[in-house]
Amino acid sequence: MRFSGLRVIKEALTGHKGWTPAWRDPEPQAHYDIIIIGGGGHGLATAYYLAKEFKQKRIAVLEKGWIGGGNVGRNTTIIRSNYLLDGNEPFYEMSLKLWEGLEQDFNFNAMVSQRGILNLIHSDAQRDAFIRRGNAMRLNGVDAEMLTTAQIKERYPYLNTEDARFPIKGGLAQHRGGTVRHDAVAWGYARGADSRGVDIIQNCEVTGFKIENGKCLGVETSRGFIGATKVGCAVAGSSSRLMAHANMRLPIESHVLQAFVSEGLKPVMPGVVTFGAGHFYCSQSDKGGLVFGGDIDGYNTYAQRGNLPVVEDVCEGGMAIFPAFGRARLLRMWGGIMDMSMDGSPIIDKTHIDGLYFNGGWCYGGFKATPASGMCFAHLLARDAPHPNATAYRFDRFEKGLMIDEKGMGNQPNLH
Amino acid sequence: MIIDHPLLGPRDSAEFTYKGDARLIDRPDPEKGATAHDFYDYGYLRDNPAGWHEELWFHEAGDRSWLVVTRNTLTHEISKVELARDVARSRGRSK
């Protein structure tokens, strides 16, 4: 069933009786060629590209809850590719390009909105660092523009540029960045994968791996054993818990990142603004709510809720640059669990166990990476070789000293 | 979260800086045969359990002592707080 304007009109005139479920609810089969663990954005995107781009058959996605019920539904929906390092920038730019064509590709309205992202600067040193970042982006063929305070004021006239501690001296803009309707990403990929024969099996928790002679033969689940030639894990946030079943310890700590939404307001924020020095970023959803957040709480946790000191810190940051937002009331807040890796960058790699593949360590940047993560993980699973844009995301980079440390913080996950 | 400091009593966790797994006390010793791989394991790999976790907290805005806090990562409940110095000595570290 393809969606189109004509179809919407036809259904409107005939009582909406022709719509069918967007995906099936199949029983698990005894064996698959490829099993993806995790029915979030990355897992569903992987299955979609495996079926569509790599022509793989007999694929299943196993999800312990319902699809889109994890981090793909708990983020702040921002897409961008404003990275500095060579190991990252081509990957994230590939992701942004895939976002740009995604809705046509999977015939689903994901409300991709390239409203632009702006990183604020407050000092000469920060201006130098951001000019360097912008130049690195442009060397990779990505759009980047340094804006003056006056140019920023044109778009955000209510922005407080005169804060005594963090006066705003300009900003680095990526006009192709923006936001996406996050749930629709999961639904669009699920529908696209399902229509190409992928079994999406919900309420099916993986409780162990069957590993014999160094080879993974399948997974134990809450719905029985399911055999597989290859198993790909895409459960960022719970990676350490899952991989512990394969006796693996990961270069990852789990941390909580909080997010907040205000009551609905008339359009006030034209794009995404990040105030990194003050631990605050904000955009406005199409429903009108101000969507904002800040830093991770900073301690290991699997509780999908944070604590009050970070709430205070985020709101202080917001009030410093957008004093007017103090009049808006907070509607809801939540926490999502992040795979915080030791260098702030992800892992898409084979494990030492034959037939077992891993995708995780996305820190708080997993949402924007969803399409490229799916494409690169599908490439790895189908061809047993890393995608050219994901060659740096290896497990062994920590032992070999090949870290991709955008912030230069070292092996302290809560500082990335 | 409230951390019940062994010397100072209950303190707001916001006064502390979080370091990580308390196994970081057990730094490999090259003089006892530790290899580069041991340091990789120490520096980069973590158990990261869902449940009880012994972890290092530094009382940065207080008496600047290091604590070993036993905390549940599913509920944020804290069951035990010790001075890291005492823990390290009990494991034969320091004097």
Side-chain angles (χ1 to χ4, degrees):
Chain A
M1 181 183 68
R2 283 191 65 81
F3 291 128
S4 65
L6 210 60
R7 182 72 194 258
V8 171
I9 293 166
K10 180 179 169 236
E11 290 296 333
L13 295 174
T14 54
H16 291 289
K17 292 186 180 114
W19 301 117
T20 53
W23 51 82
R24 297 164 295 131
D25 185 21
E27 284 298 311
Q29 297 173 26
H31 189 276
Y32 289 95
D33 289 352
I34 301 175
I35 284 178
I36 307 295
I37 305 172
H42 291 225
L44 293 166
T46 303
Y48 174 77
Y49 292 122
L50 273 170
K52 180 168 182 283
E53 303 296 332
F54 296 94
K55 310 299 179 199
Q56 300 294 303
K57 306 281 183 216
R58 302 179 53 74
I59 304 162
V61 176
L62 308 184
E63 166 56 45
K64 75 174 175 183
W66 63 93
I67 59 166
N71 286 337
V72 73
R74 300 179 80 84
N75 56 74
T76 46
T77 79
I78 294 165
I79 59 170
R80 59 185 172 88
S81 63
N82 51 359
Y83 282 74
L84 172 69
L85 299 177
D86 286 343
N88 277 331
E89 183 60 4
F91 174 85
Y92 285 102
E93 176 57 13
M94 171 193 179
S95 205
L96 194 53
K97 288 208 174 88
L98 287 167
W99 283 119
E100 287 171 336
L102 184 66
E103 293 160 302
Q104 294 303 318
D105 187 64
F106 67 18
N107 179 236
F108 201 84
N109 182 8
M111 296 164 71
V112 175
S113 167
Q114 292 182 288
R115 57 186 69 182
I117 184 166
L118 173 67
N119 307 132
L120 299 174
I121 58 174
H122 315 281
S123 66
D124 289 346
Q126 211 180 6
R127 177 185 288 112
D128 290 347
F130 276 46
I131 287 172
R132 181 181 175 219
R133 178 181 296 263
N135 286 342
M137 291 163 64
R138 294 174 76 125
L139 283 170
N140 279 291
V142 181
D143 69 306
E145 186 187 357
M146 289 300 294
L147 299 184
T148 63
T149 309
Q151 287 173 306
I152 293 171
K153 272 282 197 184
E154 277 177 30
R155 276 200 111 189
Y156 300 96
Y158 49 88
L159 185 68
N160 175 19
T161 54
E162 306 297 325
D163 183 77
R165 177 64 185 86
F166 293 112
I168 291 164
K169 298 295 188 187
L172 175 65
Q174 186 186 17
H175 301 299
R176 288 166 59 243
T179 60
V180 180
R181 167 94 168 91
H182 52 186
D183 298 316
V185 176
W187 299 334
Y189 276 125
R191 177 171 162 272
D194 177 87
S195 70
R196 289 170 176 80
V198 173
D199 281 358
I200 296 169
I201 301 162
Q202 305 182 72
N203 300 306
C204 181
E205 180 173 4
V206 171
T207 55
F209 298 97
K210 185 175 181 185
I211 297 166
E212 285 178 7
N213 301 319
K215 178 162 175 51
C216 182
L217 304 175
V219 292
E220 302 289 347
T221 78
S222 54
R223 294 171 71 169
F225 174 77
I226 307 174
T229 309
K230 293 177 179 177
V231 176
C233 307
V235 297
S238 299
S239 292
S240 296
R241 297 170 81 175
L242 179 65
M243 301 315 282
H245 294 308
N247 292 321
M248 286 180 69
R249 296 169 74 228
L250 303 180
I252 285 170
E253 289 179 0
S254 294
H255 288 258
V256 64
L257 179 66
Q258 301 191 64
F260 309 84
V261 177
S262 79
E263 60 190 327
L265 305 172
K266 292 280 176 64
V268 58
M269 282 285 287
V272 184
V273 175
T274 78
F275 172 35
H279 316 150
F280 176 82
Y281 64 93
C282 185
S283 65
Q284 188 171 19
S285 77
D286 292 331
K287 254 189 320 192
L290 297 169
V291 183
F292 60 98
D295 269 0
I296 57 174
D297 272 38
Y299 43 80
N300 284 45
T301 179
Y302 286 92
Q304 285 179 317
R305 60 181 173 81
N307 276 301
L308 291 171
V310 169
V311 178
E312 186 178 18
D313 185 54
V314 171
C315 292
E316 280 176 356
M319 288 300 292
I321 59 165
F322 293 126
F325 290 0
R327 300 292 295 276
R329 278 166 296 192
L330 194 64
L331 203 61
R332 49 200 181 91
M333 53 194 276
W334 67 94
I337 304 304
M338 314 285 125
D339 270 12
M340 294 301 297
S341 70
M342 287 288 164
D343 61 358
S345 295
I347 296 161
I348 303 175
D349 201 0
K350 300 178 194 181
T351 69
H352 66 283
I353 298 161
D354 203 17
L356 185 60
Y357 301 75
F358 180 79
N359 174 329
W362 291 100
C363 300
Y364 40 78
F367 179 71
K368 76 176 93 67
T370 303
S373 168
M375 186 68 88
C376 292
F377 200 33
H379 187 287
L380 179 70
L381 281 158
R383 305 213 173 138
D384 264 316
H387 187 283
N389 287 338
T391 53
Y393 297 152
R394 302 163 59 94
F395 265 117
D396 65 3
R397 70 176 186 262
F398 302 98
E399 188 159 17
K400 291 186 171 172
L402 300 172
M403 270 68 80
I404 317 163
D405 192 344
E406 285 276 337
K407 286 176 80 177
M409 288 298 182
N411 59 342
Q412 186 65 35
N414 61 358
L415 297 182
H416 285 293
Chain B
M1 290 183 290
I2 302 293
I3 294 174
D4 194 3
H5 193 297
L7 305 176
L8 304 175
R11 309 299 305 182
D12 189 333
S13 66
E15 294 176 5
F16 293 79
T17 299
Y18 181 80
K19 176 64 183 170
D21 193 325
R23 285 169 68 157
L24 292 169
I25 290 172
D26 306 316
R27 187 171 57 237
D29 185 351
E31 295 188 359
K32 289 178 181 163
T35 62
H37 185 80
D38 294 331
F39 274 94
Y40 154 69
D41 189 293
Y42 170 81
Y44 294 105
L45 300 184
R46 299 287 182 269
D47 287 342
N48 193 24
W52 292 105
H53 188 227
E54 290 186 7
E55 51 200 22
L56 287 164
W57 291 74
F58 175 53
H59 199 193
E60 188 168 23
D63 72 343
R64 305 188 71 77
S65 58
W66 282 92
L67 304 181
V68 173
V69 176
T70 306
R71 192 177 57 92
N72 192 317
T73 59
L74 290 166
T75 62
H76 298 164
E77 181 193 354
I78 293 170
S79 66
K80 189 160 76 171
V81 184
E82 305 158 273
L83 289 172
R85 182 186 62 187
D86 296 343
V87 175
R89 281 178 175 166
S90 74
R91 294 184 191 174
R93 288 287 310 272
S94 190
K95 295 195 172 58

